[in-house]
Amino acid sequence: MNRYTRDMRGYGPNPPHAQWPDGAKVAVQFVLNYEEGGENCVLHGDAGSEAFLSDIPGAASWSGQRHWNMESIYEYGARAGFWRLHHLFTEASIPITIYGVATALARSPEQVAAMKAADWEIASHGLKWVEHKDMPQDEERAAIAEAIRLHAEVVGERPRGWYTGRCSQNTVRLVAEEGGFDYVSDTYDDDLPYWLEVEDRDQLIIPYTLEANDMRFATAPGYITGEQFFTYLKDAFDVLYEEGSEGAPKMMSIGLHCRLIGRPGKLAGLKKFIDYIQGYEDVWTPRRIDIAKHWAKTHPHQRYARPSQMNKTDFVAAYGGIFEHSKWVAEGAFELELGPAHDSAVGLHNALCRTFRTASRSARMDVLTAHPDLAGKLAAAGRLTAESTTEQASAGLDILTDQERDIFTRLNTEYVAKHGFPFIIAVRDNDKNSIMAAFERRIGHDSDTEFDEACKQVERIAYFRLLAVLP
């Protein structure tokens, strides 16, 4: 099977209505990453110092050595930045989510007590603030388990949310397999939560952000002033609020770090943004766990047989009749590079049409001649396929007057005699009168033109048939 696992479709053009509480037009969710004391450091048993997300330009890891300046910048986040942010959010009465590195939480008992007293969610940010990309699966699985164990020991309960950040290609699957998380956030691929099927588990994914994120104070291109951060957040909020006002509410994630946004000059932009959104009444500012609970209740997952996951026998059995009596089209589509994007009517239609379009003229002619006459003898004898019967009935072709039936019989006979295949039209786009008019118009076309038109109509018919069985 030639399968492509990345999902390029998502919700497509019609995402679900979020139905945020109290009719909110946008959910603005603040995350504070607590990494201080969990970063790379020889004191933590690591090979060298941290080099990521600090105010040191061009920082590099010092192998086998402590980096005093780097350590002190991280310490600022715990000693000063955290408390400045704690005051800001508690004064604004906005509950937030902490992405807490387990070892960092263990080294910061007063901060953990303050998080809990404020009723902030403390989600897991892994065992240590280190790269997972090169971890063998068993090692990463063990690190996830130890992160949960230590988190529960320090906080008093296990985490219900997970975000690694510096993850591997296996992280999301391994966390989902653990089975105890209400959501996972190691993706950046949507403005709404969605469900991911991991074997027999339906795992809720709440995407995170790297752009509405103060990390850009420490990366290039990035923010220099708090005002730049405010401007970006305001612009993002305004667009999402407008979309919500038009009936498509979304979620806005904002990522923060104690050692970055906790600096006074940077905090000014965040404070200005909080003041801005609090001028709106129809904005929800939840914790991520609140979003997870809302989504699970409002949009529970429903599984269906996905074409890209079927074996060939089941695939052909399900879709072999989409092109009339021509299962070879489904057999050819099965061999293409199918993926999640083909698990919808539009996606699978594209795959089937690719097979049909690249077939020989004689093979396509066989598909055309497999179609029945409109309101012809097969219909009268009740020998149409179920799909054709429903389609012809939808246009009223099953209740023709004797005069109308005689006209259709004459036109069918003349059309086939001239072109060598039945007149084909997507009846769901038409009614009895428009079908008759098209019949009269198209019968005069040359056969090459009419062959091309009939093929387009066959594809259109296939699309309507897929809409009846797929999202």
Side-chain angles (χ1 to χ4, degrees), residues 28 30-32 80-96 98 114 118 120 214 217 226 229-230 233 254-258 260-278 285:
V28 180
F30 295 90
V31 166
L32 180 59
F82 172 82
W83 297 109
R84 183 170 286 121
L85 290 160
H86 181 269
H87 177 75
L88 174 65
F89 283 109
T90 54
E91 283 291 301
S93 298
I94 294 177
I96 68 173
I98 296 290
W120 292 353
D214 70 354
F217 281 110
F229 189 47
F230 163 73
L233 295 182
I254 299 172
L256 307 170
H257 298 77
C258 301
L260 296 176
I261 201 68
R263 296 283 180 173
K266 298 169 184 173
L267 187 92
L270 175 62
K271 185 178 186 303
K272 188 174 181 180
F273 177 71
I274 290 174
D275 291 341
Y276 178 72
I277 66 172
Q278 289 194 320
T285 53

Side-chain angles (χ1 to χ4, degrees), residues 391-402:
E391 289 157 2
Q392 295 204 21
S394 71
L397 300 184
D398 59 335
I399 52 172
L400 297 176
T401 66
D402 290 342

Side-chain angles (χ1 to χ4, degrees), residues 326-434:
S326 303
K327 68 177 184 178
W328 64 265
V329 178
E331 291 171 342
F334 181 84
E335 303 301 332
L336 297 176
E337 182 192 76
L338 302 183
H342 299 96
D343 291 336
S344 67
V346 172
L348 186 56
H349 181 253
N350 181 267
L352 293 167
C353 288
R354 286 174 59 188
T355 302
F356 176 65
R357 292 166 188 167
T358 55
S360 67
R361 184 184 177 92
S362 63
R364 286 179 288 152
M365 179 65 82
D366 288 342
V367 176
L368 301 189
T369 57
H371 277 261
D373 292 337
L374 288 180
K377 294 179 180 179
L378 291 179
R383 292 170 54 198
L384 297 179
T385 63
E387 293 85 356
S388 290
T389 299
T390 301
E391 289 157 2
Q392 295 204 21
S394 71
L397 300 184
D398 59 335
I399 52 172
L400 297 176
T401 66
D402 290 342
Q403 182 181 7
E404 289 170 336
R405 189 173 292 103
D406 289 343
I407 294 173
F408 269 105
T409 298
R410 175 180 60 80
L411 290 172
N412 279 324
T413 301
E414 293 176 6
Y415 186 95
V416 173
K418 179 174 182 179
H419 299 301
F421 49 85
F423 176 78
I424 301 172
I425 190 169
V427 295
R428 292 188 185 277
D429 285 326
N430 294 274
D431 58 24
K432 181 171 57 179
N433 294 329
S434 64

